[in-house]
Amino acid sequence: AQSVAQPEDQVNVAEGNPLTVKCTYSVSGNPYLFWYVQYPNRGLQFLLKYITGDNLVKGSYGFEAEFNKSQTSFHLKKPSALVSDSALYFCAVRDLNAGNNRKLIWGLGTSLAVNP
Amino acid sequence: AAGVIQSPRHLIKEKRETATLKCYPIPRHDTVYWYQQGPGQDPQFLISFYEKMQSDKGSIPDRFSAQQFSDYHSELNMSSLELGDSALYFCASSLGGRSFYEQYFGPGTRLTVT
């Protein structure tokens, strides 16, 4: 069964430090992987995606994610965290081999708190 | 740039009433998705439409129905509302018939059932 796991409910980092938000996935075929961010009382915003090609994907607001096929992971990273990065982060996957299935499988979200 | 528009932004209904949520996708986007998000929870996929046809179905209750119209906007109709239906309802849209495109989310409709 397809699934996405975000093992950490909350991540706390100090401003200026690097941050990592973890995501692992399980799909039967090749994955399309996405990261979204949700600020309080706002809709989700697309950050970045991995489809194919370079395993390191760069996205919005200085975020990047590394696709690791052997570890079935797609961790979100940023070299230097900002207080304004504090938000809820969701990882999502779609199974490439699912035909016309456009449904995303979502992780439960990780709350990122960046402390000044 | 134009974004996904949802209306109303806030809605208060009583138990057993009906509600209709509207979603206007980004121009030229042909796919619409509906999600329900409870407090502190991940978005739960309800249903999606591609080119005015239902494409995927998730955890949408039988009391709910949805459709996509010729202008690609979509409406989520909710009947016999229950307290547990109180949530944020997001609409998202995307372009094209391929599965690797990203979804763009609207600001959501906050439904409160009393």
Side-chain angles (χ1 to χ4, degrees), chain B:
Chain B
V4 176
I5 297 172
Q6 289 187 248
S7 67
R9 294 293 309 277
H10 302 272
L11 189 59
I12 300 175
K13 290 285 186 178
E14 294 186 355
K15 282 174 54 177
R16 293 180 287 278
E17 284 191 319
T18 62
T20 297
L21 309 185
K22 297 184 178 182
C23 170
Y24 297 87
I26 291 173
R28 295 189 297 115
H29 282 196
D30 51 19
T31 307
V32 168
Y33 311 79
W34 285 98
Y35 293 88
Q36 177 192 60
Q37 187 179 32
Q41 296 181 8
D42 59 309
Q44 294 295 311
F45 171 73
L46 295 178
I47 196 168
S48 64
F49 294 87
Y50 168 61
E51 282 291 346
K52 294 155 279 185
M53 300 288 289
Q54 181 181 310
S55 57
D56 294 304
K57 191 172 183 180
S59 55
I60 184 169
D62 292 340
R63 299 176 289 109
F64 295 4
S65 65
Q67 62 182 118
Q68 186 179 30
F69 295 86
S70 58
D71 63 351
Y72 295 101
H73 93 273
S74 179
E75 295 183 4
L76 177 66
N77 298 295
M78 311 161 73
S79 62
S80 302
L81 286 169
E82 302 173 356
L83 295 178
D85 296 329
S86 296
L88 262 176
Y89 290 83
F90 288 109
C91 169
S93 73
S94 62
L95 171 65
R98 299 182 184 275
S99 57
F100 54 72
Y101 44 70
E102 58 268 29
Q103 299 176 17
Y104 293 87
F105 284 76
T109 294
R110 183 173 295 280
L111 173 66
T112 302
V113 181
T114 62

